[in-house]
Amino acid sequence: MPPSPTPRRDRVLVDLALQGGGSHGAFTWGVVDRLLEEDRLDIEGISGTSAGAMNAAVMASGFALGGRDGARAALAAFWKRVSVAAVFSPFQRGPVDKLLGRWTLENSPGYLAMDLISRMISPYDLPSMGPNPLEAILRESVDFAALAAGPMKVFVTATSVRTGRGRIFRNRDITAEALLASACLPQMFQAVEIDGEPYWDGGFAGNPTLFPLVSELQSDDTILVPINPIERPGTPRSARDILDRVNEISFNAVALKELKMLALLRRAADPGGGEGANWARMRMHVVQNGVVVGLGASSKLNAEWPFLTMLRDEGRGAADRFLAEHGAAIGHRSTLDFDALLDGV
């Protein structure tokens, strides 16, 4: 039985901030799918990194061509294509993991070999495996002309290898190469070159980038969909678990730093008008993601359809709980405690 929509209220402009995280981005698919059912929420813009960038581009392209239903259909088709391509991937669950219903790839020979090789050998030392299979999927899933001219503003972040700074690609600049650059993990892939400049995963510079949502859009409400857990219980002991947690902290650090900066600007801004008024009016909301805490980092490369649809359903459920608890606040007040972000600053 589909969840009932929240009570009808005045329409409100919102924007979305979508983190990256490999196939865990299917959780974001579910969240966005549910938000698109809310007629009162007009999504003005989206900032995304890695899988979040792909969700953003697919969604905006589908919306430009077919409205809300077009966006939902485009996302479903994209993730289905990802799962079909994954049938030929060397990263497959072992029989015991399948029997026990575990989504991890830590017992997959292909994953173990890749994990070992990536720690010892550069992608530039290996023979080319041909184009990234995601490139064909993106070209089939995104109408880049419709995205360029569409009503939703999209901001995709990639990290310049040369400077270490983020580059934000906007609608007319977004190509399949820009999306691949935003998801380019340097341990696994050679840098993606755009206009002669090499780029790596955008998560190193903005996961996702929040500033253009505040400075370039009319919307005062940002809905953040996190993928990487900020907190994990216990202390990692194995070398793999330690590295995975270090990566989580690194990718979250940029987003947390930007949130703190926004909180400072919000506190200092004059809500009465002037250039700082938009910072003072800023409202932030977070769709809580509890499912990924129980998933290992290896499952980010698991693109089996049952896994993706499980994450989608978890995302829809999380969005439904978010709307039930915070839907009335959207357009009126922030549900993220900005003051808590500044504790100790």
Side-chain angles (χ1 to χ4, degrees):
M1 180 177 178
S4 57
T6 54
R8 181 75 181 185
R9 303 183 185 93
D10 292 338
R11 299 175 73 90
V12 58
L13 274 179
V14 300
D15 52 69
L16 306 180
L18 310 181
Q19 271 197 343
S23 63
H24 291 183
F27 174 88
T28 303
W29 164 30
V31 171
V32 171
D33 188 69
R34 177 67 183 91
L35 294 179
L36 284 165
E37 293 178 345
E38 292 294 308
D39 289 341
R40 69 176 289 258
L41 300 182
D42 289 330
I43 301 173
E44 182 187 8
I46 320 166
S47 178
T49 295
S50 192
M54 295 181 189
N55 275 321
V58 171
M59 174 187 173
S61 166
F63 188 89
L65 294 171
R68 294 172 185 266
D69 290 341
R72 296 179 65 200
L75 284 165
F78 167 73
W79 285 102
K80 184 64 177 178
R81 291 182 185 114
V82 169
S83 73
V84 170
V87 172
F88 305 102
S89 168
F91 309 134
Q92 302 291 337
R93 286 187 298 160
V96 174
D97 291 321
K98 290 182 179 180
L99 182 65
L100 297 178
R102 298 187 301 221
W103 298 113
T104 179
L105 295 179
E106 291 182 1
N107 299 309
S108 162
Y111 176 80
L112 291 172
M114 182 277 299
D115 187 48
L116 179 62
I117 290 171
S118 67
R119 296 168 194 252
M120 301 172 61
I121 301 175
S122 160
Y124 293 89
D125 295 329
L126 297 172
S128 174
M129 303 299 289
N132 188 325
L134 270 175
E135 181 176 350
I137 294 173
L138 288 168
R139 294 191 187 281
E140 191 175 359
S141 302
V142 180
D143 186 321
F144 290 98
L147 172 62
M152 284 186 184
K153 305 295 188 298
V154 180
F155 308 94
V156 168
T157 302
T159 304
S160 167
V161 179
R162 182 177 58 85
T163 67
R165 293 161 56 184
R167 174 177 172 181
I168 300 174
F169 296 86
R170 292 164 173 80
N171 293 57
R172 294 188 181 277
D173 304 321
I174 296 173
T175 60
E177 289 76 18
L179 296 173
L180 292 173
S182 183
C184 179
L185 291 172
Q187 300 92 340
M188 295 180 62
F189 302 105
Q190 296 183 11
V192 177
E193 288 201 4
I194 300 174
D195 300 327
E197 188 80 13
Y199 291 95
W200 282 340
D201 194 295
F204 296 114
N207 194 20
T209 300
L210 300 174
F211 274 78
L213 297 177
V214 182
S215 61
E216 299 183 29
L217 301 182
Q218 297 181 40
S219 166
D220 294 325
D221 288 79
T222 296
I223 301 175
L224 172 63
V225 185
I227 293 293
N228 298 303
I230 294 176
E231 297 184 8
R232 275 193 185 274
T235 303
R237 301 288 184 179
S238 70
R240 181 186 301 157
D241 289 344
I242 290 170
L243 181 60
D244 290 342
R245 185 56 182 153
V246 166
N247 287 333
E248 282 182 345
I249 292 171
S250 298
F251 278 115
N252 280 328
V254 178
L256 290 171
K257 184 176 181 179
E258 193 169 4
L259 280 170
K260 287 183 179 181
M261 182 60 67
L262 291 175
L264 285 169
L265 288 169
R266 185 175 186 265
R267 177 179 289 182
D270 177 10
E275 292 184 1
N278 55 338
W279 303 103
R281 294 194 305 267
M282 173 179 59
R283 296 181 287 268
M284 186 72 65
H285 316 275
V286 180
V287 179
Q288 296 299 328
N289 182 350
V291 66
V292 296
V293 176
L295 299 172
S298 68
S299 64
K300 292 181 179 181
L301 295 176
N302 183 348
E304 297 175 62
W305 186 241
F307 182 53
L308 299 181
T309 53
M310 181 277 289
L311 288 169
R312 176 203 62 195
D313 294 343
E314 289 286 343
R316 283 187 57 85
D320 206 43
R321 291 188 293 274
F322 164 77
L323 290 167
E325 185 174 354
H326 300 301
I330 299 174
H332 300 284
R333 59 181 175 83
S334 177
T335 56
L336 175 69
D337 187 351
F338 278 102
D339 291 332
L341 290 171
L342 297 176
D343 287 347
V345 174

